[in-house]
Amino acid sequence: MTFDGWPAEALDFYEHLEADNSKTFWQSHKDRYEQAVREPMERLLDELEPEFGPGKIFRPNRDVRFSADKSPYKTHIGAHLAAGGYVQLSADGLACGNGLYRLAPDQLDRYRASVAEDVSGAELERVAARVRRAGPEVVGRDSLKSAPRGYPKDHPRIELLRHKGLIAWQEWAPEPWLGTRAAYERITGFLRASQPLKDWLDGHVGPSELPDR
């Protein structure tokens, strides 16, 4: 089936879940989650797969083992694409991301070395500017307040050097188009616009080579 956006019931579901994040609410409204939230996401991933690879929907349950917040359910649905990219729906609307959200230690070393190097660092600046002109933001994650060890505080790309993750990100507030085919166009537009950043990260950072813990 064709993906034609999410119905208003999907946003209503998450609005109510935010107010009553309980197992009782979830169990009594699980059919609405499946039909209005998860099934449209599955159709979206099916359509995206030829260009962006297969997608995986993250589980709705939160991992509360090490969290002070014991709310059992996530107040959004998120999916990751094999070729890169993230799609999220919540009561706040639609959001998309692409890049490396959290760099492993070996990735961080390669990222900083590439940012510091004149040719590859200047290329990243151009890529980030190109992505921003297309609409998405380019934002750092877990950024240091000062220069990382071994790098001068006055480095011309010190802002980029401080990041421990780098992503393109874009959000859209709830609007009627979210329940139409226009949602697909917004998502694919973001993924294509953010691809240059993903390409730079793939080429200069790549996957972590450390063993999984």
Side-chain angles (χ1 to χ4, degrees):
M1 295 178 63
T2 300
F3 170 72
D4 290 314
W6 282 273
E9 288 81 4
L11 302 181
D12 291 341
F13 172 82
Y14 280 118
E15 286 181 357
H16 286 95
L17 182 62
E18 288 179 358
D20 183 8
N21 197 319
S22 67
K23 186 175 181 180
T24 299
F25 173 84
W26 183 272
Q27 290 182 331
S28 63
H29 295 82
K30 188 175 180 180
D31 288 346
R32 179 184 294 184
Y33 166 79
E34 293 290 343
Q35 296 171 9
V37 178
R38 187 180 178 91
E39 289 181 8
M41 179 68 87
E42 290 174 343
R43 292 196 294 271
L44 170 66
L45 297 181
D46 286 344
E47 286 201 56
L48 293 177
E49 183 170 353
E51 183 175 354
F52 303 103
K56 176 184 177 182
I57 299 175
F58 293 105
R59 65 178 188 172
N61 306 76
R62 295 182 63 250
D63 184 352
V64 300
R65 291 175 297 172
F66 309 107
S67 174
D69 180 1
K70 299 303 181 182
S71 302
Y73 301 103
K74 299 172 184 175
T75 54
H76 65 268
I77 185 172
H80 178 263
L81 299 164
Y86 172 78
V87 181
Q88 175 180 295
L89 180 82
S90 70
D92 294 328
L94 177 66
C96 293
N98 203 359
L100 291 175
Y101 187 83
R102 185 176 291 109
L103 293 163
D106 61 326
Q107 291 177 303
L108 187 56
D109 288 343
R110 294 193 294 272
Y111 168 77
R112 287 174 175 165
S114 297
V115 171
E117 201 276 326
D118 286 342
V119 175
S120 54
E123 180 188 359
L124 177 57
E125 289 181 311
R126 291 192 298 271
V127 164
R130 175 182 171 187
V131 172
R132 290 188 178 105
R133 286 195 299 270
E137 291 295 319
V138 176
V139 295
R141 304 294 307 174
D142 299 326
S143 303
L144 299 175
K145 293 182 179 179
S146 59
R149 184 176 300 176
Y151 293 92
K153 295 180 180 180
D154 61 349
H155 192 283
R157 287 178 293 281
I158 188 61
E159 293 301 322
L160 288 168
L161 284 169
R162 288 173 179 163
H163 302 326
K164 293 185 178 181
L166 189 67
I167 62 170
W169 184 257
Q170 193 163 8
E171 299 179 357
W172 297 269
E175 296 287 349
W177 60 261
L178 191 53
T180 72
R181 186 65 178 175
Y184 177 83
E185 302 300 333
R186 300 284 179 103
I187 294 165
T188 54
F190 168 86
L191 293 171
R192 291 164 185 154
S194 62
Q195 190 59 43
L197 178 64
K198 182 66 166 52
D199 290 342
W200 188 94
L201 291 168
D202 287 346
H204 295 280
V205 179
S208 175
E209 298 172 0
L210 298 177
D212 293 333
R213 293 184 178 180

